[in-house]
Amino acid sequence: MTTKYIFFTGGVVSSVGKGVTAAALGRTLKERGFNVAVQKLDPYINVDPGTMSPYQHGEVFVLDDGAETDLDLGHYERFIDIRASRVSNFTTGQVYAEVISKERRGDYLGGTIQVIPHITNEIKRRVGLVEKTTGADIVLVEIGGTVGDIESQPFLEALRQLRTEVGRENVLFVHVTWLPYIGATSELKTKPTQHSVAALRSMGISPNMIIARSDYPVDADLCEKIALFCDVDKTAVVPMVTSQYLYEIPLLIEKAGMPDLVLKQLGLEAKKKPDWREWEKLVANVKRPKPEVTVALVGKYVELHDAYMSVREALKHAALAAGVEVKIEWVHSADLEKDKNWEQVQKADAILVPGGFGSRGTEGKILAARYARENKIPYLGLCLGMQLMCVEFARHVLGHEDANSSEFDRSTASPVIDLMNDQRSIIDMGGTMRLGLYPCVLKPGTKAAAAYAVEKIDERHRHRWEFNNAYRAEFEKAGMVFSGLSPDGKLVEIAELKDHPYMVGSQFHPEFLSRPNRPHPLFVGLMKAAKEKKAGQA
Ligand code: GLN
């Protein structure tokens, strides 16, 4: 079939859940038998989010092929249950880098390089790559930011052109806006939506559908008003009230009749009837009251929960599987160094130390790992969290007082975490880590092997430093088990403590492959251990 495109634009304000809405709609289309692919266009000038501060950008989501992408890709993978690739995310920075390198090579034969057509052509080429690499029936494309941003103009122009090139009947523009609520008069306002649609139309794009996001119920009159002022069909204004339950959104979109409307507008017929039984069970399970288990998440960017988006979701998925409700205590690792906020750690049923870069707060994470080891509190270390669990072990069990990762102390006499030789000569920061999917072989009889229940796994990585093999035998003698290794045995991928209910660290990032209905084994292991610990206290 001809590939169909759904373009998502945002109006009024950002952060209204455009990505989640697109992902949830994607799921409803997949349920109708379509092969759905996704793409996120980020109008900022950075080449990728890999070198951006998590405070600014939230989590960097890593794909199988090692692409460092926007966190919306995480929503797409989790909701639609797909594995995206590098073509699924690009930025203005990448577009310009490509065009400028072609210009330097002389590919343009001396022509003047302009935003239209050179930049817009490169944008269109990259949008086209999704269909080429996936053969998708429907490609969902989300444009980051809000209409009216200077950076997004070339993107909107490119998509406008694309609509004519692939045929209007094959393209749908969905505009996601926000209805502010005025407390004094208790009413929702449509004016900002009208303005944002006017801005979109000034770019030559009339939306086919408007999703009106709101924290309050939106009545039919308001939808009619939006339809009238924004020149869309009445049925094509879909109110979408904020839900307390993230994974309920596909069901709400289904209930609002949006997928059928989309198919009608694209001239498509469902290939099969959607089957929501598993998903409904999942949502019912989410809503069911369950005993609470507390996890202290000891990190460096805890003020911004989006920086740990996939970790938080993976904890929620695993909690569901373990039949508990997870409450996350966000603990700033630097506070622990100053002897502050320890009660948050002490009252937790489990401790999780996520990934991170740079030395700030690492000593606090080491203290948290020590506390978990000595008090037999279930612990999961992700990437840096695994490395620091090893540093702590070296310092306090093996007696290497100055043990560290050479990332944080270049002159340590005990670099238990160190650079591999092939990483030493790299100067560039961006895209130079061990990135993407790598195989790992599990050691039978270990906690990791029991959790996964298979012998070989593939997991996503994003790091430069590795466990230093010079210390392997010493660690093993003292009770550390290297339960996951690269197939050639050279790289430590999982470490776990022998005499401990659950102290496990992975060099990879398991959180990226967790799904709501297929929780990640290492997270499930943590939640089960936490549940047992809590039951033991009762
Ligand atoms: N900074 C560490 C490294 O580069 C850990 C990275 C991470 O936690 N993702 O190896």
Side-chain angles (χ1 to χ4, degrees):
M1 65 177 259
T2 319
T3 300
K4 306 281 183 175
Y5 288 91
I6 307 177
F7 298 133
F8 290 84
T9 54
V12 184
V13 284
S14 60
S15 308
V16 296
K18 191 164 25 116
V20 170
T21 309
L25 178 70
R27 178 73 200 204
T28 65
L29 298 174
K30 186 184 178 185
E31 284 296 329
R32 284 164 169 74
F34 295 103
N35 178 1
V36 178
V38 295
Q39 192 177 44
K40 171 86 194 277
L41 316 186
D42 281 311
Y44 53 71
I45 298 171
N46 305 62
V47 169
D48 62 42
T51 51
M52 285 168 86
S53 162
Y55 281 129
Q56 299 228 350
H57 190 271
E59 159 187 282
V60 174
F61 192 81
V62 181
L63 305 181
D64 286 348
D65 61 10
E68 297 174 273
T69 69
D70 185 76
L71 54 74
D72 273 325
L73 269 291
H75 291 310
Y76 290 127
E77 288 206 343
R78 286 186 285 268
F79 275 98
I80 313 177
D81 201 1
I82 47 171
R83 305 274 280 248
S85 83
R86 190 168 293 282
V87 299
S88 289
N89 189 203
F90 70 86
T91 68
T92 296
Q94 284 171 29
V95 170
Y96 272 81
E98 179 81 28
V99 170
I100 290 170
S101 83
K102 278 190 188 156
E103 186 272 338
R104 293 289 83 182
R105 274 204 313 262
D107 290 5
Y108 297 113
L109 305 173
T112 307
I113 313 305
Q114 295 178 295
V115 172
I116 305 172
H118 301 93
I119 296 298
T120 45
N121 281 353
E122 177 59 19
I123 293 173
K124 286 188 285 181
R125 185 186 74 82
R126 284 172 180 257
V127 172
L129 288 179
V130 179
E131 185 269 322
K132 281 203 179 75
T133 54
T134 61
D137 305 321
I138 305 176
V139 183
L140 308 175
V141 182
E142 177 193 348
I143 301 106
T146 25
V147 169
D149 298 346
I150 286 186
E151 289 93 340
S152 59
Q153 289 194 11
F155 288 87
L156 292 173
E157 168 60 16
L159 299 183
R160 186 195 65 77
Q161 292 175 14
L162 207 71
R163 181 181 56 182
T164 330
E165 286 166 24
V166 301
R168 281 172 188 270
E169 66 286 7
N170 298 320
V171 171
L172 208 63
F173 275 94
V174 178
H175 191 53
V176 184
T177 77
W178 179 252
L179 306 181
Y181 180 80
I182 308 297
T185 51
S186 315
E187 55 176 350
L188 290 167
K189 291 299 203 183
T190 65
K191 186 74 80 190
T193 296
Q194 297 173 35
H195 280 304
S196 78
V197 171
L200 198 55
R201 290 171 76 181
S202 75
M203 304 280 312
I205 297 167
S206 281
N208 305 87
M209 187 180 283
I210 292 175
I211 299 187
R213 287 272 299 104
S214 162
D215 277 342
Y216 298 87
V218 183
D219 60 34
D221 288 357
L222 226 55
C223 292
E224 260 174 53
K225 189 168 168 189
I226 295 172
L228 185 70
F229 279 97
C230 301
D231 193 29
V232 288
D233 292 343
K234 218 161 56 190
T235 50
V237 179
V238 183
M240 193 58 56
V241 180
T242 307
S243 167
Q244 195 188 336
Y245 307 104
L246 185 65
Y247 295 109
E248 191 182 24
I249 296 171
L251 299 180
L252 296 177
I253 283 188
E254 180 73 46
K255 221 161 90 192
M258 196 174 152
D260 293 326
L261 203 67
V262 164
L263 292 190
K264 196 169 142 215
Q265 294 207 22
L266 287 172
L268 290 175
E269 275 196 37
K271 294 184 182 179
K272 72 175 183 70
K273 259 179 83 132
D275 179 358
W276 290 108
R277 277 173 302 180
E278 194 193 356
W279 203 274
E280 276 164 356
K281 225 163 78 191
L282 174 91
V283 174
N285 201 1
V286 170
K287 291 182 174 176
R288 186 169 56 86
K290 294 171 283 294
E292 195 175 83
V293 158
T294 307
V295 177
L297 193 151
V298 183
K300 170 173 159 184
Y301 311 107
V302 289
E303 301 91 332
L304 183 73
H305 298 178
D306 274 7
Y308 302 108
M309 174 87 81
S310 295
V311 175
R312 185 180 61 189
E313 290 311 308
L315 279 172
K316 289 203 289 191
H317 306 160
L320 269 186
V324 292
E325 185 77 49
V326 62
K327 175 165 187 278
I328 302 177
E329 284 288 336
W330 301 89
V331 185
H332 212 301
S333 55
D335 284 348
L336 301 182
E337 294 167 12
K338 292 178 237 147
D339 243 354
K340 277 189 352 206
N341 292 338
W342 270 98
E343 61 287 353
Q344 275 182 291
V345 176
Q346 282 152 357
K347 72 176 180 208
D349 305 302
I351 294 171
L352 187 148
V353 177
F357 296 83
S359 63
R360 181 169 66 90
T362 49
E363 289 300 321
K365 292 178 182 172
I366 292 172
L367 291 173
R370 181 178 194 176
Y371 182 85
R373 181 179 55 77
E374 291 180 342
N375 296 286
K376 300 214 182 296
I377 312 293
Y379 174 98
L380 181 61
L382 311 175
C383 205
L384 181 64
M386 171 269 196
Q387 297 176 350
L388 295 178
M389 161 183 150
C390 293
V391 169
E392 189 281 319
F393 190 81
R395 285 189 192 174
H396 307 116
V397 178
L398 304 177
H400 297 298
E401 271 171 41
D402 73 334
N404 214 331
S405 161
S406 57
E407 179 180 5
F408 313 123
D409 180 0
R410 275 177 206 281
S411 56
T412 172
S414 314
V416 293
I417 305 295
D418 204 2
L419 280 181
M420 299 298 273
N421 281 335
D422 50 0
Q423 285 283 5
R424 282 185 206 278
S425 54
I426 293 173
I427 316 165
D428 266 6
M429 289 301 272
T432 55
M433 288 181 270
R434 178 143 83 102
L435 283 165
L437 215 56
Y438 283 87
C440 165
V441 178
L442 301 175
K443 188 172 177 168
T446 58
K447 291 190 182 77
Y452 279 99
V454 291
E455 280 162 25
K456 202 174 147 257
I457 54 169
D458 291 282
E459 294 278 5
R460 291 176 178 174
H461 290 246
R462 180 174 184 248
H463 57 102
R464 268 189 200 91
W465 274 263
E466 306 276 354
F467 183 84
N468 183 344
N469 288 329
Y471 292 90
R472 239 201 245 182
E474 200 185 340
F475 268 65
E476 280 175 326
K477 232 179 22 225
M480 185 72 85
V481 182
F482 296 113
S483 47
L485 297 176
S486 57
D488 63 4
K490 287 191 179 140
L491 299 168
V492 167
E493 308 286 40
I494 309 179
E496 60 183 68
L497 216 55
K498 206 182 267 165
D499 297 316
H500 190 286
Y502 192 85
M503 187 143 190
V504 179
S506 67
Q507 187 53 82
F508 47 81
H509 287 273
E511 67 271 26
F512 295 138
L513 292 182
S514 179
R515 298 284 187 269
N517 48 358
R518 225 173 29 258
H520 193 282
L522 293 184
F523 279 86
V524 176
L526 180 78
M527 293 315 298
K528 283 190 174 159
K531 188 181 174 187
E532 270 167 38
K533 178 194 162 278
K534 194 164 184 186
Q537 282 169 343

